[in-house]
Amino acid sequence: MSKYISALGLDVGRKRVGVAGCDRTGLIATGITTVERTSFERDVQQIQNIVHERQVQVLVVGLPYSMDGSVGFQARQVQKFSTRLAKALQLPVEYVDERLTSFQAEQMLIAENVSPSRNKGLIDRKAAALILQQWLDIRRTNAQSSVVAVEY
């Protein structure tokens, strides 16, 4: 596993895609922007610009599993969009369970005295950052657990 990573976190919705990036060390995810969905081609172009600018190596997409853990209609729509996007960008895609990330993002805004109803794009960016942060944390934990201690 490379020491440096450039991943893009995506919170894919019907109207918007929240986009988050991480620092090169893969420690901290932050919201970058929100893409207002218009056409697939335009969505790809906007995300392609970010991918190129940040030298992205992997897309990390939040998958909205149903509360019982099954893959429902919305999750299938996200998978369909993500598969097409990954193919268009020629990047691998990894999925993270994103249940409740939008709720968490709304709670963060409320704590900052920001109105969630007036800041949907900000919610999407924060949700994307939560998705990417979860992936980064899992990746770091797995890397640490794969290091074997040797005693002499």
Side-chain angles (χ1 to χ4, degrees):
M1 180 172 73
S2 167
K3 183 175 179 178
Y4 298 103
I5 184 72
S6 183
L8 209 59
L10 302 175
D11 179 37
V12 179
R14 284 190 297 273
K15 297 179 182 176
R16 291 174 302 278
V17 178
V19 182
C22 60
D23 62 334
R24 300 291 289 173
T25 61
L27 292 175
I28 300 168
T30 52
I32 299 173
T33 190
T34 303
V35 173
E36 296 290 333
R37 292 189 59 188
T38 51
S39 69
F40 181 74
E41 291 72 25
R42 187 157 151 63
D43 299 347
V44 168
Q45 187 56 57
Q46 291 183 68
I47 295 168
Q48 173 69 56
N49 292 341
I50 299 165
V51 164
H52 182 73
E53 179 183 307
R54 298 180 70 92
Q55 299 176 323
V56 172
Q57 299 158 298
V58 61
L59 301 174
V60 179
V61 178
L63 201 59
Y65 290 97
S66 300
M67 283 303 170
D68 66 3
S70 65
V71 176
F73 176 77
Q74 189 57 33
R76 283 193 297 276
Q77 294 301 106
V78 169
Q79 284 176 320
K80 193 170 148 184
F81 174 83
S82 302
T83 300
R84 285 180 69 200
L85 180 65
K87 188 174 180 184
L89 299 175
Q90 297 182 321
L91 286 172
V93 64
E94 295 192 25
Y95 295 98
V96 171
D97 183 352
E98 71 142 28
R99 283 179 283 186
L100 303 178
T101 54
S102 291
F103 175 77
Q104 287 176 293
E106 283 183 32
Q107 295 305 305
M108 291 164 73
L109 288 185
I110 290 167
E112 297 167 10
N113 287 323
V114 177
S115 169
S117 61
R118 293 199 199 122
N119 292 283
K120 298 292 188 192
L122 185 54
I123 292 170
D124 296 333
R125 279 196 299 280
K126 283 188 177 288
L130 289 167
I131 289 162
L132 183 55
Q133 190 65 56
Q134 184 180 340
W135 182 82
L136 292 169
D137 293 346
I138 291 167
R139 186 176 180 272
R140 198 167 42 256
T141 301
N142 289 344
Q144 289 169 352
S145 65
S146 66
V147 174
V148 179
V150 178
E151 286 186 34
Y152 292 98

